[in-house]
Amino acid sequence: MNAPGPGLPDLTAAGEAVGRPVAHDSAELHVTGAAAYTDDIPEPRGTLHAAIGVSPAAHARLRSLDLAAVRAAPDVVDVIVAADVPGRNDVGPIEEDDPILADGVLSFAGQPVLAVAATTVEAARRAARLARFDLEPLPAILTVEQAMEARSFVLPPVHVARGDAQGALGRAPHRLAGTIRSGGQDHFYLEGQIALAIPLEGGAIHVHCSTQHPGEVQHMVAHALGIAAHQVVVECRRMGGGFGGKETQMSLIACVAAILARRNGRAVKLRLDRDDDMRSTGKRHAFVYGYDVGHDDDGRILALDLTLASRCGFSADLSGPVNDRAVFHADNAYWLPDVAIHSYRCRTNTVSDTAFRGFGGPQGMFAIEAVIDAVARATGRDPLDVRKANLYGVDERNVTPFGMTIEDNIAPALVDRLEETSRYRERRAAIAAWNRESPVVKRGLALTPVKFGISFTATHYNQAGALVHVYQDGTVLLNHGGTEMGQGLFTKVRQVVAQELGIGVEHVRVSASDTSKVPNASPTAASSGSDLNGMAARHAARTLRERLAAHAARKLDCDPEAVDFREGRVTGGPRSMGFAELARSAYFARVPLSATGFYATPKIHYDRRTLSGRPFYYYAYGAACAEVAIDTLTGEHRLLAVDILHDVGRSLNPAIDRGQIDGGFLQGWGWLAMEELVWDARGELKTHAPSTYKIPTAYDWPTRANVDFWPADNREETIHRSKAVGEPPFMLALAGFHALRDAVASVADYRYAPDLDAPATDERILFAVEDLRRRMSGAHR
C-alpha cells in the first residue's frame, strides 16, 4: 500500500465503517466534562440573563398586573409582558392557541406571564417573583374525568372503526368491561430548557438553543419578532437529553430570549431552573381508558369498543398527532376483527402536554395490553397464550383497524424465540411454586410484544437534507438537519458518510445543527433521525464519490465504474492512490468538493380526516420477558430480570443500538412503575423537583439482563437496511408492568385481574393487593 502524499494525513480505515460498534462521537467529551452545551457557550460581553414570571392560578381572569416592584428590583434592565411582543404572541406548532406570554385569561398554574432581563441570573429570578397579580378566579378543569363530563376538548374527537363492534359484542360468548389509567411523565432531561439569543447587524439574530427542531424555533422567533425567517439563525451542537420535550416546548424560551435581546441590543440568556422547567413545560399525556371486549373460550378477541381519553392541557400543542398515534397503536401486535376506537383530546387547566418518547404509541399499547391481561385472567389462561392467540397473522388477519396491510410481521416468530430463550414456561412454573410457599414476597412474570410504526404521521416531515464538504487534505465535514441529544445520531450518520467515501470514521466531523446550512429541517423525532438524515447524507456523499471517481478514472487510467473507495485508498485496476491525494488533485482539477443531499420517505400516505391509509414506512418489532418481586406488606417492588429480543434490522452501530434499548426500557419502567405527577386541588404541580419526582437510576436496572438483536435486515430500503431504535424499546417495559400485575394477581391465586393503574407505585401495589384480598374474602363467604 502506497504512503499518503507529502503533507497529507493517513486516512486509512480498517474495514467497514457501518455496522461496527464505533464509540459515540462525544463519549470522551461527556465523561470528561468537556462537551459544550448551550450554557457552556462563552457569553458575549454585556450578556443579560432572563427569567419568567408565571401564573399562580390554574384558571383566572387577569384584571391587572403590578410590575412596579419587579422594575425596581436590583440589577433589572427590562421587563416585558404580552403587549411587548412585537410580532405574533403565539408558539402553537399547529393551532394558534399557545401564547408566549399570557394576557387576559390565565390557563394553568405556571403559565408564563412576564419576563425579566437583569445583569445576573439570580437578580432576574428574584425580580420575576415580585409581580403582583389581581385575579378573578374561574372554574378549573384538572382531570380527564372532569373534562369528559364538561365536554372540554382542545380538538374534536376522532373515531376509527372496522366491522360492527357493537353487534359482535352482543354475539360474543364472553364479555368484559373495565377502566384503567396511565399517568403522565416528565421528560427530566439533564439539561433544562435554555436559549442564548445574540442580536446581529441589520436586525438579524442568532439563537443558540437546546432544541430537537431548530427549524421550528427559527420560524417561531421570526414570527414573534415580526421579521423574515432568513434573519434568524438557530444553532444546536448537542442537547443534554430531549425525549420529545424539546420538539416544541423550547420555542417559548427562545422567543422570550430573542425579544429581550432585540429590545436591548444585547445578548440574552434564558435558562429555566428545574422547578420552573417542570411547572411550565409539557409532559407525556396521561390517559383514561374504557374498554368493552368480547372474546371466546380461548381468549381470542372477537370485538372491542375502546375509548382513549387523554389529558392534553390548556392548548393543542402536538396533542392531535400524539393521540392519532395512540389510535394507530391501540392494536399493538394484535388482530382486532370488529373494533371501534374513540379518541378524546381533553382540555384541562394544566400545562399543555406534548411529545414524549413513543409519541402516544405507548399509551395506545398500554390499553390493548390491559385488555389482553383482563381476558387472560377471565379465561384462566396463561397471558402469553392469550397474547399469542391474538397476534396478527403473516399473510392473513394482517390489516390494521386504519386499513394498513402489515407486510413485515415478524412478531409471531420473535415472540416464539424469546419464549424459548427466556425459558418462560420453566420460570413460570417455578414462580407459581414460589408464590404458593411465600406468604409475603410474591413474584411475577410477563412476556409482551411490541409493534411500532416508523415515520412521522405528519407526512410532510418525512424529508431531510444534508451538506458534505471534502477538504484538500481529504478530511470531511458533514452537516445535516438532525440534532444530537445523546442518542448517537451524529455518530451513525458520520459512519454512513465514511462508508460511502471509504475513509476512517475519525476523518469525518459533524458540525452543529444549523438552520443556515440545512434549511427547513424536520424535528429529530419519531425515531426517524437515522432513516432520514442517514439517507440524505449518503446521497450527498455518493454525489461526491461519483465526481471523485470520474476524476480518479482519469488519473488511474480506468473506467469510472472500476474505481473503488476502500480503507482510505482509491483503486482503479492495478493502480491506486490515497483518498487525501485524490482530494487535493481534484481541487486543482476544479472538481467541486461540496454536495447537498436530500431524501423523502417513499410509500407513505394517509387521510388525516379518517385516519386511514399507510402512515408508516415499516414497523419495528420487539419483545421483553420481565420478572419482578413485590412485598405484599408494603407494596415495594423490584425488577429482578429482563430478557429482550429487539428488531433493529441490520444495525448501523450495535453499541449505540444496545444503549438505546437499555435506556428506552428503563425509561419506560419509570413511566409505568415509578414516576408520578401530582397536582393539588388548586391545579399546582407538587412534584416539580427530584425530591418529590422519582426517575429510575442505575440501581433500578435488573441484576440479570439479556439483550439480543433479531437477526434479520429491514425488508424496506432504509439506510443499510437498518431499523429505527429510539422509541420502540420504551414499550418493552410493558412486560415489567404486567409482571407486577401478575405478582399482585398471585395473591388471589390468579383468579382476578388486579385493579392496578400506572404508575404502579408502592402505594398502588399495596392498595391492589388489599383489594384482591377483600375480593377473595368476599368470594369465600
Side-chain angles (χ1 to χ4, degrees):
M1 184 175 287
N2 299 328
L8 297 176
D10 183 0
L11 302 184
T12 301
E16 303 289 303
V18 166
R20 292 171 48 213
V22 174
H24 192 290
D25 71 329
S26 299
E28 184 175 338
L29 300 176
H30 287 155
V31 299
T32 59
Y37 296 88
T38 301
D39 203 28
D40 299 314
I41 296 171
E43 297 166 0
R45 186 171 56 189
T47 294
L48 299 175
H49 297 270
I52 56 172
V54 302
S55 168
H59 197 202
R61 184 168 286 106
L62 180 60
R63 289 191 288 234
S64 65
L65 183 63
D66 184 353
L67 299 175
V70 181
R71 298 185 192 279
D75 301 318
V76 168
V77 175
D78 197 9
V79 182
I80 61 171
V81 293
D84 298 310
V85 177
R88 190 174 75 192
N89 183 26
D90 186 82
V91 287
I94 300 174
E95 306 289 330
E96 290 189 25
D97 61 351
D98 203 339
I100 299 168
L101 297 174
D103 190 22
V105 174
L106 309 184
S107 299
F108 74 94
Q111 184 175 21
V113 178
L114 66 134
V116 179
T119 56
T120 68
V121 175
E122 292 77 11
R125 290 177 177 174
R126 289 194 186 101
R129 291 176 171 83
L130 299 177
R132 299 289 183 87
F133 291 82
D134 181 12
L135 302 177
E136 176 190 338
L138 298 173
I141 295 174
L142 301 177
T143 67
V144 170
E145 291 85 353
Q146 291 170 350
M148 289 292 287
E149 183 178 356
R151 309 299 289 174
S152 172
F153 305 124
V154 294
L155 294 165
V158 170
H159 305 278
V160 173
R162 173 171 58 197
D164 177 12
Q166 289 303 316
L169 281 168
R171 295 188 298 270
H174 306 284
R175 189 168 175 175
L176 285 172
T179 301
I180 193 168
R181 297 166 178 81
S182 64
Q185 185 178 25
D186 190 84
H187 301 86
F188 216 93
Y189 23 63
L190 292 181
E191 175 201 32
Q193 299 282 356
I194 183 171
L196 171 64
I198 304 171
L200 305 175
E201 63 183 16
I205 196 156
H206 192 133
V207 180
H208 295 273
C209 185
S210 183
T211 173
Q212 294 173 238
H213 198 177
E216 180 160 299
V217 174
Q218 176 193 23
H219 292 292
M220 291 298 179
V221 168
H223 293 323
L225 295 179
I227 61 178
H230 73 277
Q231 291 184 283
V232 181
V233 173
V234 177
E235 182 177 346
C236 177
R237 172 57 185 89
R238 62 173 58 85
M239 288 165 273
F243 311 116
K246 296 174 181 175
E247 186 173 343
T248 64
Q249 299 292 290
M250 70 292 139
S251 292
L252 185 150
I253 310 303
C255 287
V256 168
I259 292 167
L260 286 166
R262 199 138 188 267
R263 279 169 59 93
N264 293 281
R266 298 163 69 175
V268 173
K269 180 189 287 186
L270 172 55
R271 173 172 54 83
L272 298 187
D273 71 10
R274 181 63 62 180
D275 298 272
D276 287 338
D277 198 309
M278 294 186 73
R279 288 190 188 102
S280 299
T281 65
K283 323 293 179 197
R284 181 183 296 282
H285 290 67
F287 273 68
V288 176
Y289 313 90
Y291 63 86
D292 189 354
V293 60
H295 61 90
D296 65 15
D297 293 344
D298 294 322
R300 289 186 182 87
I301 293 176
L302 305 175
L304 175 65
D305 189 275
L306 179 65
T307 295
L308 313 174
S310 72
R311 183 194 63 214
C312 298
F314 82 99
S315 68
D317 192 75
L318 295 174
S319 290
V322 165
N323 282 269
D324 288 351
R325 188 172 276 265
V327 171
F328 289 145
H329 288 81
D331 58 343
N332 191 9
Y334 307 114
W335 163 251
L336 304 174
D338 288 273
V339 58
I341 303 171
H342 317 284
S343 173
Y344 296 93
R345 296 97 194 268
C346 298
R347 184 190 303 276
T348 54
N349 293 114
T350 54
V351 64
S352 284
D353 287 323
T354 190
F356 200 130
R357 194 177 197 166
F359 203 79
Q363 293 97 315
M365 291 186 193
F366 182 93
I368 191 62
E369 291 298 340
V371 172
I372 291 280
D373 189 67
V375 169
R377 303 300 172 195
T379 58
R381 293 173 59 83
D382 187 314
L384 178 57
D385 290 332
V386 174
R387 289 187 165 92
K388 292 174 68 174
N390 284 286
L391 289 174
Y392 275 111
V394 175
D395 299 315
E396 59 181 2
R397 302 187 334 135
N398 63 343
V399 179
T400 68
F402 52 90
M404 178 173 169
T405 300
I406 302 170
E407 300 171 347
D408 58 357
N409 187 13
I410 60 172
L414 190 150
V415 168
D416 285 345
R417 176 78 63 83
L418 184 62
E419 177 185 352
E420 177 185 354
T421 58
S422 67
R423 300 183 300 109
Y424 175 85
R425 303 292 174 179
E426 177 184 339
R427 290 166 64 192
R428 187 148 195 89
I431 287 170
W434 164 281
N435 287 337
R436 285 192 295 270
E437 300 299 324
S438 176
V440 175
V441 176
K442 302 290 186 180
R443 292 186 177 183
L445 186 73
L447 193 159
T448 59
V450 166
K451 174 184 68 67
F452 189 79
I454 304 299
S455 289
F456 285 99
T457 53
T459 304
H460 63 279
Y461 274 164
N462 293 288
Q463 58 175 301
L467 176 65
V468 178
H469 303 313
V470 175
Y471 293 100
Q472 292 182 52
D473 65 354
T475 59
V476 174
L477 182 65
L478 161 66
N479 190 274
H480 58 79
T483 57
E484 177 62 49
M485 61 196 91
Q487 84 280 36
L489 173 63
F490 278 22
T491 304
K492 285 185 172 182
V493 181
R494 184 184 179 209
Q495 288 176 261
V496 168
V497 170
Q499 177 89 1
E500 291 299 318
L501 299 178
I503 61 177
V505 174
E506 63 273 20
H507 303 298
V508 179
R509 187 173 77 85
V510 187
S511 59
S513 305
D514 187 329
T515 58
S516 68
K517 292 183 171 63
V518 175
N520 308 314
S522 299
T524 304
S527 301
S528 63
S530 297
D531 282 3
L532 295 175
N533 296 288
M535 290 293 263
R538 184 167 73 171
H539 180 207
R542 282 188 171 176
T543 299
L544 289 168
R545 191 179 68 182
E546 289 168 3
R547 294 175 188 166
L548 289 169
H551 178 67
R554 293 190 289 272
K555 299 286 290 183
L556 301 175
D557 192 24
C558 67
D559 292 331
E561 293 77 16
V563 176
D564 182 52
F565 293 75
R566 192 179 304 274
E567 297 186 357
R569 305 291 300 174
V570 183
T571 303
R575 303 172 61 189
S576 71
M577 61 194 304
F579 183 84
E581 184 183 355
L582 175 64
R584 176 171 289 186
S585 173
Y587 165 75
F588 283 106
R590 297 185 294 178
V591 175
L593 296 178
S594 180
T596 60
F598 181 79
Y599 175 73
T601 307
K603 297 186 177 182
I604 52 176
H605 60 87
Y606 90 105
D607 186 333
R608 297 196 69 174
R609 296 169 301 169
T610 61
L611 264 66
S612 62
R614 178 175 177 164
F616 307 122
Y617 188 27
Y618 63 89
Y619 285 99
Y621 296 86
C625 179
E627 183 177 343
V628 302
I630 66 169
D631 185 324
T632 59
L633 299 181
T634 64
E636 292 175 277
H637 57 75
R638 182 173 299 172
L639 183 63
L640 300 177
V642 66
D643 296 87
I644 292 172
L645 182 56
H646 198 71
D647 167 33
V648 299
R650 186 190 304 171
S651 176
L652 294 174
N653 186 315
I656 285 176
D657 286 349
R658 169 65 193 264
Q660 286 294 292
I661 294 169
D662 290 357
F665 177 86
L666 195 60
Q667 190 175 49
W669 176 247
W671 170 53
L672 293 166
M674 299 175 64
E675 302 177 44
E676 185 173 27
L677 294 165
V678 178
W679 281 267
D680 66 15
R682 296 175 298 179
E684 294 180 10
L685 180 66
K686 308 310 292 184
T687 49
H688 51 77
S691 58
T692 51
Y693 186 82
K694 300 300 182 182
I695 65 171
T697 71
Y699 291 104
D700 296 295
W701 187 250
T703 54
R704 187 184 67 76
N706 295 318
V707 177
D708 292 313
F709 295 165
W710 179 254
D713 294 354
N714 193 339
R715 62 176 286 158
E716 298 293 349
E717 293 185 19
T718 55
I719 186 70
H720 291 282
R721 300 284 179 171
S722 63
K723 283 195 175 185
V725 72
E727 291 171 302
F730 183 93
M731 285 141 280
L732 295 170
L734 285 163
F737 177 74
H738 284 279
L740 288 173
R741 288 177 64 88
D742 188 60
V744 174
S746 72
V747 171
D749 197 25
Y750 306 102
R751 297 179 188 177
Y752 304 104
D755 184 7
L756 181 64
D757 296 332
T761 58
D762 296 355
E763 295 89 345
R764 285 200 175 101
I765 288 175
L766 183 59
F767 294 156
V769 167
E770 292 177 345
D771 175 65
L772 280 187
R773 284 177 171 154
R774 283 192 297 269
R775 289 157 71 181
M776 280 288 288
S777 176
H780 290 159
R781 288 198 181 107

